[in-house]
Amino acid sequence: TECSPPTADANVSQYACLRRTTTENHNKIFTDVLEELAENSEFNESKGPCLAFRRAASVLKSLPSAVHCLGAIQGLPCLGEHTKAVMEEILIFGRSFKVEEVQSDERYQALKLFTSVFGVGPKTAEKWYRRGLRSLKEILAEPNIQLNRMQRAGFLYYRDISKAVSKTEAKALRSIIEETAHWIAPDSILALTGGFRRGKEYGHDVDFLLTMPEMGKEEGLLLRVIDRLRDQGILLYCEHQGSTVDMSKLPSRRFEAMDHFEKCFLILRLEEGQMERDEGLAVRVDLVAPPVDRYAFALLGWTGSRQFERDLRRFARKERGMCLDNHALYDKTKKLFLPATSEEDIFAHLGLEYVEPWQRNA
Ligand code: 8DG
Ligand code: MN
Ligand code: MN
């Protein structure tokens, strides 16, 4: 068949922060497979291949149309030999044998299932797999397994929190938390972040930032909000982490490292009438409380996507000699921190055109 002209003339960047990626993905048949292969590589601790598959999927998500032949991806960045082989299978057979092999693998199935439980990471999942455990039922029936508090909540609310949260439900939660925060501090600021800020219709959780317009006034606010949510009877689970922000430190290199803001990982209950469903629903909520002078960095960092954030940091480091994380931007040449009161400021410091949140679905 005749090949459509290469997409490559669009001059697609290797950096997600130089691409615009909306939620409209024209190449889902490829990216779903590539992301599954990335996850499998992650389980096998193959960091290189994992990153390669994620980058490839991210590039394909940014394309304005579907790829119909291999010629169309010529010259695109981040598409290696493995990725091209997978894409060729899908183009010719309509399916990927490589991913089917992964999907039928017992270890992959078990690790995917175990890590779908809130509080269970790849390390714990691997440990359980090595003990011969294969199902969630088996884990709960195994007397020698000590679950921590988060994992117990993960199992207890598994049915609800493994379902996707809708935008309507996210907005209902936003109203509840905002009302609670305003009841405590009328000038407090609550912002929806994460996938819903990027315009996604569904998410695995709902992410918020909470701050005060005056520096230092945010101290103690998060704990009071949590107490109030508890009093209202909608707090099902709370893991609170105090602030460990140390501003003398340079921005961290490792993206996967958690930031140092005060935060809590919650499970909240949405009641009937607050959503489209006919029964109550347990929902995962992340609530982060940065001081206002860090707000722009926190907002940029928590809006995601993860791939967009990774590339923003990589771009800062490789192309600008700067170090970016959720707290700050540091210019290594000038040896100074670059302040910002908005996301636009940060893009400007980096010499990047502003990318709207809904264009960051890399
Ligand atoms: P989803 O919930 O719909 O699955 O998508 P998401 O909203 O994009 O993912 P997320 O896992 O909720 O993460 C939102 C952003 O927050 C993402 O860009 C990564 C960022 N993030 C941090 N620190 C941390 C952290 O400690 N844990 C998690 N889970 N995410 C973090 O900056
Ligand atoms: Mn989220
Ligand atoms: Mn989250």
Side-chain angles (χ1 to χ4, degrees), residues 193-196 198 200 203-207 286 302:
T193 175
F196 288 108
R198 302 197 308 273
K200 276 175 62 175
H204 96 282
D205 68 355
V206 194
D207 309 280
D286 288 339
W302 277 85

Side-chain angles (χ1 to χ4, degrees), residues 9 27-28 43 49 95 150 156 210 251 360:
D9 58 11
N27 289 285
K28 201 164 159 25
F43 289 153
R95 53 197 270 215
M150 192 183 260
L156 190 57
L210 177 68
R360 299 180 203 162

Side-chain angles (χ1 to χ4, degrees), residues 304-359:
S305 67
R306 278 170 187 275
Q307 198 54 39
F308 188 87
E309 302 296 332
R310 276 191 202 105
D311 278 3
L312 204 52
R313 283 153 210 242
R314 189 163 61 98
F315 176 86
R317 194 173 62 245
K318 299 235 173 186
E319 306 296 332
R320 298 291 185 258
M322 293 181 187
C323 217
L324 173 72
D325 69 9
N326 283 7
H327 318 95
L329 178 63
Y330 182 75
D331 187 323
K332 288 186 276 189
T333 324
K334 294 182 183 156
K335 294 196 169 59
L336 51 87
F337 284 96
L338 305 170
T341 57
S342 66
E343 290 179 316
E344 283 87 344
D345 288 349
I346 304 169
F347 281 92
H349 283 315
L350 290 168
L352 284 170
E353 252 179 66
Y354 183 64
V355 181
E356 298 284 356
W358 57 90
Q359 299 171 328

Side-chain angles (χ1 to χ4, degrees), residues 96-247:
S96 160
F97 302 102
K98 194 174 160 81
V99 85
E100 283 172 16
E101 197 180 304
V102 165
Q103 284 166 344
S104 63
D105 180 62
E106 195 181 20
R107 180 168 171 277
Y108 175 77
Q109 285 174 5
L111 296 189
K112 198 170 165 75
L113 177 67
F114 298 165
T115 54
S116 74
V117 179
F118 174 51
V120 180
K123 288 236 169 68
T124 306
E126 178 74 44
K127 207 173 67 192
W128 291 347
Y129 177 76
R130 291 228 184 112
R131 291 173 67 158
L133 300 165
R134 297 293 180 265
S135 69
L136 300 184
K137 237 186 188 156
E138 282 170 16
I139 288 160
L140 290 173
E142 172 67 47
N144 293 322
I145 281 191
Q146 286 288 327
L147 299 176
N148 64 32
R149 211 172 73 87
M150 192 183 260
Q151 292 160 350
R152 287 202 302 274
F155 276 102
L156 190 57
Y157 301 110
Y158 184 77
R159 258 228 273 182
D160 275 3
I161 59 184
S162 57
K163 288 176 201 154
V165 188
S166 73
K167 196 188 259 181
T168 315
E169 288 156 356
K171 283 180 181 163
L173 271 166
R174 190 213 153 87
S175 303
I176 293 167
I177 300 173
E178 191 162 54
E179 193 178 314
T180 304
H182 283 169
W183 185 81
I184 294 159
D187 52 349
S188 62
I189 300 156
L190 184 79
L192 184 64
T193 175
F196 288 108
R197 183 165 182 251
R198 302 197 308 273
K200 276 175 62 175
E201 291 293 327
Y202 292 94
H204 96 282
D205 68 355
V206 194
D207 309 280
F208 296 101
L209 290 191
L210 177 68
T211 195
M212 292 290 283
E214 203 181 322
M215 244 335 250
K217 288 274 161 65
E218 77 284 353
E219 268 174 51
L221 175 62
L222 186 57
L223 283 174
R224 292 181 67 196
V225 168
I226 293 166
D227 281 342
R228 177 83 182 139
L229 292 170
R230 188 179 289 115
D231 292 344
Q232 289 170 274
I234 61 173
L235 189 78
L236 298 174
Y237 173 84
C238 173
E239 169 105 353
H240 175 264
Q241 290 182 353
S243 162
T244 54
V245 178
D246 179 358
M247 280 311 153

